[in-house]
Amino acid sequence: MAEVLAVRLTPRGGRDAVDGWASDADGRPYLKVRVASPPVDGAANAALLAFLAKTLKIPRSAVRLAAGDTARLKRLELDGVTADDLAKAFGARPQA
């Protein structure tokens, strides 16, 4: 079973970085991530997937974009990652 991670992506963010957790209007947590790549031809999505794989120390093939290909809010599936792994890498996720 893959861990599901909601991400709000900011392309052309100047650098690849995690800006912490936030919650949407319904209280669902998401991770704020910025990448230097522009949102052209999927470059920002590819940079996001590569950045998260490197940060979590998992293969790039273990990170999949499940929803939100052209939206800022995306849903990712991460194979071989637990909620504890996410907390260690990005801090505690706010409770929904």
Side-chain angles (χ1 to χ4, degrees), residues 8 16 67:
R8 183 172 185 268
D16 295 352

Side-chain angles (χ1 to χ4, degrees), residues 12-96:
R12 286 196 183 112
R15 59 187 164 78
D16 295 352
V18 174
D19 292 333
W21 292 99
S23 296
D24 65 12
D26 295 326
R28 292 180 298 238
Y30 62 87
L31 187 65
K32 298 185 295 181
V33 179
R34 66 175 64 209
V35 294
S37 300
V40 179
D41 296 329
N45 287 340
L48 170 67
L49 300 180
F51 173 69
L52 289 178
K54 181 179 177 183
T55 302
L56 292 167
K57 297 178 176 74
I58 59 175
R60 163 60 189 87
S61 60
V63 183
R64 287 183 308 284
L65 184 62
D69 186 43
T70 59
R72 289 190 70 173
L73 195 60
K74 302 174 183 305
R75 193 172 72 238
L76 306 176
E77 292 179 350
L78 309 170
D79 290 334
V81 175
T82 65
D84 286 340
D85 296 331
L86 292 177
K88 287 177 191 170
F90 308 122
R93 188 184 315 206
Q95 297 301 314

